[in-house]
Amino acid sequence: MLNHLTLKDFAVVSASELAFGQGLTAVSGETGAGKSLIVDALLWLTGTRADAGIVRHGAERAELAAEFGLHDAPDAAAWLRDNDLDDADGCQLRRVIRADGGSRAWINGRPATLAQLSELGGLLVEIHGQHEHQALLERGHQLGLLDAFGQHEPRLAEVRTLAQAWAELDREITEISRAGDVADRIGYLEHQLGELGKENLEVSDIDEMLGAHRRQSHAASLLSGYDLALTRLAGDDGLSVTRGLRQVAGELARHVDAEPRLAEIVSLFESAEIQLAEAASSLERLRDDLDLDPQHLQQLESRMARLHDLARKHRVPLNELAHRRDAITAELDALRHASERSDSLFAEREAAGQRWQAAAEKLSAARIATAKRIGKAVSALMGELGMAGGVFAVELTPQDSPKPHVLGAERCEFLVSANPGQPPRALRKVASGGELARISLAIEVAALGLDSVPTMIFDEVDTGIGGAVAEVVGQKLRTLGKTRQVLCVTHLPQVAAQGHHHFQVNKAVNGSATYSAVSVLDDKARIEELARMLGGVEITKETRANAKQMLGKAQSA
């Protein structure tokens, strides 16, 4: 639900901050005052391409921001989570459009693309009116609305799952078929695997080989280093390090009675003597283990050369040769079983197609029944909305592709005939903006807001009507407001009186500049605005009484 809308330097609005509530909100004002600015602002906030003309004259940029609650928008909340743009239980859209035509957008304070704004905006706001941005004109949305009206989701989910399973089997068959005659490939891979199989390629063995090679390569210097260290430790070229430590410890021990703290130092020397003895023993073992063997070194170098040749041939590091061997083994197994797998896949695909067909037929039967119900309901509402004799119908036609489709076996097209005797035409081809808006309203009322979009906006849905029809339009909008948040831009008092809330847009001229401001009306101000909408140049006492009666009747219903 839309909670707040903030406008700054937008068209003729210098600055405005609006709070919205549940139910139906009516927006009215003098002709040319800018009643549709709220609609325009939400269009820009939901992905419409930037136009420098919306920046107020003399300003550097226009700034727009909207805050939505997500308690009634689970699809939008899921989208935000999937795109790592979620922020608690709310959603903020912000857009800045510069006077040079450039723009930037943010979702919950993080930079966003227009595509992201549009995708998310479609889950938050649905706009109906005399413009091209109407979701109801899109055939995909029409099919979704039909399924929502008939509560087909369980059947549709089954069809979608089966179509995806069929597509996966078909993709695997295509990949096998693309490979063609694999005999040459099998022979080539077997040769490669034979070469790799002659060597021990495990990472631990290769590391051990490299270590052995390093030791053999440096055997002479290592032996020299071992001997020198042992000689010095043993004292063969002078005083033994161990003996020197023992002498120092003994000398200091004679003074412990005089200075007890020397005992700890003497202990450290004794520990050092023990560690030196252990070090000397370890050095002796290393020296004894080291075998200066030129033949072994040559064998290690030969093996290293073979491994490096294999690594260059397969374009992998030494420690990935085992992975390459395993990959070749897996590919060989797949190729050897390709023919057998292909026969199995064809059978599986055929069975999957039959399962999809059965599920799709059940969905098609449900859609046919639902199409009749929604057609009858909307046709009846069209009569109430001033299009007596008008007909609404849902046309179901086969999908273009014979393959199993995730949306079922048919496409959907909404058809309307606004006047008796005229053949129904596609809703997207209806010329009259006013008729299109009222038909959209009839569809939404008939569906009782079954689509998941929480906020619906109707811009000038009352164009070309008046009197009793206008009152019915207002009543239908109020009914829709029981299940969805509804905003309606209107010039008719019969519609405005039905609103749970009422905004008024006023235009004023200050010198050479024109400004528009939006204000929230209380009951007294609403009566004055309804009287203005009812009356002419002069508002009389009778007009105000009529407005008061109209408002009271609407609010008590």
Side-chain angles (χ1 to χ4, degrees), residues 531-532 534-541 543-544:
R532 180 197 65 77
L534 281 167
V537 176
E538 181 180 355
I539 300 176
T540 65
K541 184 186 300 183
T543 305
R544 287 190 176 89

Side-chain angles (χ1 to χ4, degrees), residues 247-257 259 262-263 265-266 269:
Q247 289 177 357
V248 172
E251 180 65 29
L252 292 174
R254 291 189 293 109
H255 301 288
V256 169
D257 290 340
E259 176 52 81
L262 284 173
I265 298 174
V266 171
F269 275 112

Side-chain angles (χ1 to χ4, degrees), residues 162-163 165-167 169 346-357 404:
L162 291 172
W166 186 96
L169 293 168
F346 276 107
E348 290 179 33
R349 187 180 66 176
E350 177 66 21
Q354 292 175 357
R355 289 193 296 272
W356 176 87
Q357 184 65 39

Side-chain angles (χ1 to χ4, degrees), residues 34 59 113 120 166 206 254 287 306 311 317 326 344 355 384 394 423 432 463 487-488 507:
T113 64
L120 176 59
W166 186 96
I206 290 177
R254 291 189 293 109
R287 182 189 61 186
R306 293 194 303 273
D326 296 341
S344 174
R355 289 193 296 272
E384 295 183 52
V394 179
S432 169
T463 300
L487 278 70
C488 178
K507 182 171 67 173

